[in-house]
Amino acid sequence: MSSLLTRDEYQALARTLALPANAVIGGKSTPAIGGGTFETINPATGEVLAKIASCRKEDVDLAVEKARRAFDTGGWSRSHPSERKRVIRRLARLMEKHAHELAVLETLESGKPIYDVETIDIPEAIHCLEWHAEATDKIYGQTSPSGDNVVSTIVRQPLGVVACVLPWNFPILMLAWKLGPALSTGNSVIVKPAEQTNMTALRIAELAHEAGIPEGVLQIVTGPGEVTGKELGLHPDIDMVAFTGSTEIGRKFLEYSAKSNLKRIVLECGGKNPCIVLDDAECLDVVAQHATQAVFWNMGENCSSNSRLIVHKNIKDKLLEQILVKLRDWPLGDPLDPGNRLGAIVSKEQFDKIMGYISKGKSEGAKIVAGGNAQAFGKGYFIEPTIFDNVTAGMTIAREEIFGPVLSIISVANADEAVRVANDTSYGLAASIFTANGGRAQRMARDIRAGTVTINCYGEGDVTTPFGGFKLSGFGGRDKSLHAHDQYTELKTVWTDISDPKQTQTLD
Ligand code: NAD
């Protein structure tokens, strides 16, 4: 990890950096064929940062054509696995070298605190790419137990052309989660970043070419979801879409697939994740630290945000007291200041949505115990970390994904009720349990319907563990771990009859 710069140094870098605005197609930085652009905004100031290429059907068609050609010629798809490993590792090294520049681009467009981008997002993205790169030449095929007269191999082959459609909340990290396994298995990849956050994907694609990625193997098409994203979803020559975003748009990709070529669809969607704290939980100050990190990290714009704190009524007041103490560790302000842990909300639209939920919480009778207000720093979109007490399971703020810095506290009487409330959601991405009773923690983990359950901590596992959701939180696969490699490949059986023809009986 590179060391942090000062606020002045980050701001100086922000003033001098070249802001990438063109799509990357066929190995080249290129405007949209029709010349269209859209504005990208700095949510910390409300100012326009750049005009980004707005790709339409003709741009997507061109990118797919280049991707298919690259795949068929085999320069990447059939290259030696150790060669793919070398190139992806070189990309990781270049990202490390350009970490400050990438961090500034990410923060300018997303409003994320640069402290997080430098200390979490970029190091984890680099580690993710390296991990998948290392796996490239360590995964074996299988043979089947089909008897002496047969050699049957079961191999995994790259799918072909894979589109990755990304959200705005972790632009670099979500890119790495998809690129690592998709590239290492030999696919040609077309990325569509969210329209709010394009620049780091564009810059990383440039670095990938510097690292030796062949033309057509990694391309970036920028543009509005309902145009560029839809064209990718409906394209007849794309073999898979790996999507991270809302459940609403995830459903659309299943429709696009059904209407086009039955391309494989993997969805990582939203969450309304519970953090359960029982009355035997140890060290409530440590629990409070995890609980605040779980909901306020990335301003709550996090699919695995533990936005529901389900706590035993006997310890609720004590825990809340500790959480209010921990809130002092979450200064809000200029995201380019590495002293801040909370930055700007990504857009006016998201800001309005969150403020709407805060009003709804108040009108439905929940009690604000912290925050609840917008903060004016110039024309940026800032919201105080907000805590609601006396929330009941039926309230809107307890049911819908807010995707903002808003915690809802729900009191329960015992562990069974806690699990019931935790499962009373249409989502199932993640959950945390705090209790000193190890056996009970394991039983609860078994009973909670979520893709990742953490015990006595908050987290998402690491690159070695699969990440994805039950119910409306996901479909068709997982990010991270070797399971991710599987989903970017197709299984093939090659069956060879090796019986000796001389000994084969002919039937009359
Ligand atoms: P979103 O669904 O609005 O957009 C995601 C992507 O889909 C963007 O690239 C967007 O341009 C594209 N898109 C939008 N409309 C489209 C359409 N009609 N057709 C095709 N593509 C379209 O999501 P978002 O607001 O960018 O991200 C927030 C959501 O992402 C939250 O629900 C969050 O929980 C989820 N998320 C999930 C994970 C996970 O791993 N499970 C991780 C991060 C974010």
Side-chain angles (χ1 to χ4, degrees), residues 164-170 174 177-178 192-197 223-233 243-250 252-253 256 267-273 300-305 346 349-350 353 401 403 427 429 460 467-469 473-474 479:
C164 302
V165 179
L166 303 179
W168 44 257
N169 60 340
F170 289 95
M174 293 303 104
W177 282 15
K178 311 256 184 255
K192 195 208 91 60
E195 42 276 60
Q196 297 85 347
T197 51
E226 60 279 11
V227 179
T228 324
K230 184 173 176 185
E231 290 298 339
L232 292 168
F243 168 86
T244 295
S246 62
T247 301
E248 179 196 347
I249 305 298
K252 286 190 196 281
F253 277 95
Y256 298 151
L267 307 176
E268 298 295 349
C269 300
K272 188 71 190 170
N273 311 292
E301 294 171 330
N302 174 14
C303 56
S304 67
S305 159
V346 71
E349 189 191 358
Q350 186 65 15
K353 188 177 149 199
E401 185 185 40
F403 227 56
Y427 292 108
L429 189 58
E460 296 180 346
F467 185 78
S473 289
D479 280 324

Side-chain angles (χ1 to χ4, degrees), residues 436-452:
N437 183 329
R440 183 158 62 185
Q442 289 296 331
R443 287 193 296 280
M444 291 170 77
R446 181 195 59 200
D447 293 343
I448 289 175
R449 293 185 36 77
T452 299

Side-chain angles (χ1 to χ4, degrees), residues 67 69-91 132-133 136 158 160 179-189 208 211-218:
R69 195 175 314 143
F71 187 77
D72 289 346
T73 50
W76 183 254
S77 55
R78 295 191 187 168
S79 62
H80 195 281
S82 61
E83 173 57 16
R84 294 202 295 277
K85 173 173 87 172
R86 253 195 303 277
V87 173
I88 300 171
R89 292 197 65 212
R90 237 181 268 143
L91 168 60
H132 288 290
T136 307
L179 280 190
L183 286 177
S184 80
T185 44
N187 295 286
S188 294
V189 179
I213 289 268
E215 182 186 314
V217 171
L218 173 58

Side-chain angles (χ1 to χ4, degrees), residues 23 66 76 136 153 191 199 206 223 231 277 333 344 349 386 391 396 399 416 418 463 502-503:
K66 302 261 183 200
W76 183 254
T136 307
T153 56
V191 174
M199 294 187 188
E206 285 173 9
E231 290 298 339
V277 186
E349 189 191 358
T386 297
V391 176
T396 309
R399 305 207 72 77
D416 288 347
V463 71
K502 285 187 230 129
Q503 291 184 11

Side-chain angles (χ1 to χ4, degrees), residues 345 350-368 370-374 382-388 396-397 402 404-408:
I345 300 299
Q350 186 65 15
F351 172 89
D352 289 342
K353 188 177 149 199
I354 298 167
M355 291 309 291
Y357 276 115
I358 292 176
S359 302
K360 191 97 181 157
K362 289 180 194 163
S363 67
E364 288 185 1
K367 179 180 161 206
I368 290 246
N373 303 304
F382 294 87
I383 298 178
E384 293 171 342
T386 297
I387 300 175
F388 279 102
T396 309
I397 55 170
I402 299 175
V406 182
L407 178 65
S408 296

